[in-house]
Amino acid sequence: AQDFFNVPGFLSVDLGVDASELSSGVAWSHTFGYQNILNAAVFYTDRKASTSDTRTGVEIVEGVPSFVSGTTTADGRQRSYIAAISHMIGEDDLVWRYGVEGGVVKSESVETFALDIPSRPDLSFEISDAEDDHTRMGRAYLDLRYEVSQDLTLEAALFGRILDTDTDRINRFEPRLGLAWSPIENHWLRFGYLREGENFSSPTLAPIGVVGLQSNQIGLADDGYIDTFAFRWDAQWSDRFFTAFDYQHQEAKNVSLAQPLLVNTLDFEEARIDRAALTANLALGHGFGLSATYAHLDSSTPEPGWGGDSLIFVPDQTAQVALTWVNTADIKMTLAGNYVGERVGNAAGTVLDDYWTLDAALQWEPFDKQIELELSAYNLLDEDFELAPGVKGWGPTVKGTLSVRF
């Protein structure tokens, strides 16, 4: 067999990516009385991604220098149709929330490789590989929140999940436990444990987090889950200065991480991430606020064949310094400097350099916040950085979103 793209004469690489995401839903709510509310909704999400990688060069084909072009394309699409209903009922200091959600997630992917040798059309070829998967999912949950006193809150929840794919069926319980305690005035300590599975990027009516704690998100396979042990200390030192310290220890099973400019994911059976972060917020007055966050991360995976000890794409540290302005017209503006530390970029253990970007955002919520318009600008100073070895990050980029609440 001829081994192409393996000798000098390589000319160029052309990479392309096109991605889009639609998230929509229709919801209905009815209030029977104080702390007695019924909600129902139907959600639809549609995520598409297409990538292309074209490499051209002059190669030796059966002893003759020849122009060779090879193109790999990948197209992926995931659609979810979810129906949900939930009920919240409270009595004094006890609040119950329960509900069910279910639907179908349809995933499709096609990968094609085409080799073109104009001087030898008999050696040109094209091959394709397609996958199609339907996942039927359902989950039921019960959440109980009890305010023992003004200084102590307890919360417990139990989620039952069913996943039925074309090749497998999974039944799993996902518990959550939390405690929030205020040992002294203006200081809160929060402790929590959460087990969570993949939500397929679909909106939900179910409770998110426990006693105000939410887990850091990581990509999971359909049958994956993550255990999070979380601690948070919130403190108010004055009427203008606030701080928070967060620590999370996470252990994940069946991790699935997105790759830059690729549809296919990187899959790991196990992974661990520890993250500690300190945040400070200062109200400057006249609608201005200054915030700063620093986080240190440590990660690992026992997956064989991966260079380095860290989980791929997870930086060793991150930071942000932001200036925010808000006013009574429901306008919010933010200018932020974001830092991403060194991180492993491939299986060989190649370390990607750290970088800073300057980003900005404008948010406006007119008509009693029924409409939300957001404009975001990223990498305003055109900083050079890599998402993966040889894959440059985005230059100055503007993104706009419009949300309508009925």
Side-chain angles (χ1 to χ4, degrees), residues 217-218 255 257 271-275 296-300 310-318 340-345 352 387:
Q217 298 300 300
I218 184 174
V255 175
L257 301 179
R272 173 195 59 81
I273 300 178
D274 287 276
R275 180 181 185 272
H296 177 77
L297 297 92
D298 182 69
S299 64
S300 65
S310 299
L311 184 63
I312 191 170
F313 303 141
V314 176
D316 59 353
Q317 53 188 338
T318 62
V340 177
E342 295 181 344
R343 59 232 174 268
V344 173
L352 303 176
L387 301 175

Side-chain angles (χ1 to χ4, degrees), residues 307 343-352 386 389:
R343 59 232 174 268
V344 173
N346 57 18
T350 302
V351 176
L352 303 176
E386 289 186 313

Side-chain angles (χ1 to χ4, degrees), residues 56 60 67 96 122 143 149 197-198 226 230 236 264 290 326 384:
T56 59
I60 304 302
F67 179 82
W96 297 81
D122 56 310
D143 181 278
S149 66
E198 169 64 19
I226 185 168
Q236 179 179 346
N264 295 335
L290 182 66
V326 297
D384 287 332

Side-chain angles (χ1 to χ4, degrees), residues 99-178:
V100 294
E101 299 180 347
V104 178
V105 179
K106 299 181 179 180
S107 301
E108 306 165 357
S109 65
V110 178
E111 186 169 353
T112 302
F113 175 74
L115 182 68
D116 181 31
I117 308 176
S119 63
R120 291 295 306 272
D122 56 310
L123 294 178
S124 301
F125 64 89
E126 179 177 305
I127 56 175
S128 295
D129 182 30
E131 294 184 2
D132 189 355
D133 181 62
H134 288 189
T135 301
R136 293 157 289 279
M137 62 164 293
R139 67 174 182 172
Y141 57 87
L142 174 64
D143 181 278
L144 173 62
R145 185 182 180 97
Y146 179 42
E147 293 188 9
V148 180
S149 66
Q150 291 184 343
D151 301 328
L152 181 63
T153 300
L154 305 175
E155 186 173 359
L158 182 62
F159 286 66
R161 178 187 297 265
I162 298 176
L163 289 176
D164 186 12
T165 69
D166 296 336
T167 59
D168 197 10
R169 180 182 176 90
I170 298 171
N171 302 316
R172 185 172 64 234
F173 286 108
E174 298 172 355
R176 302 178 185 178
L177 296 171

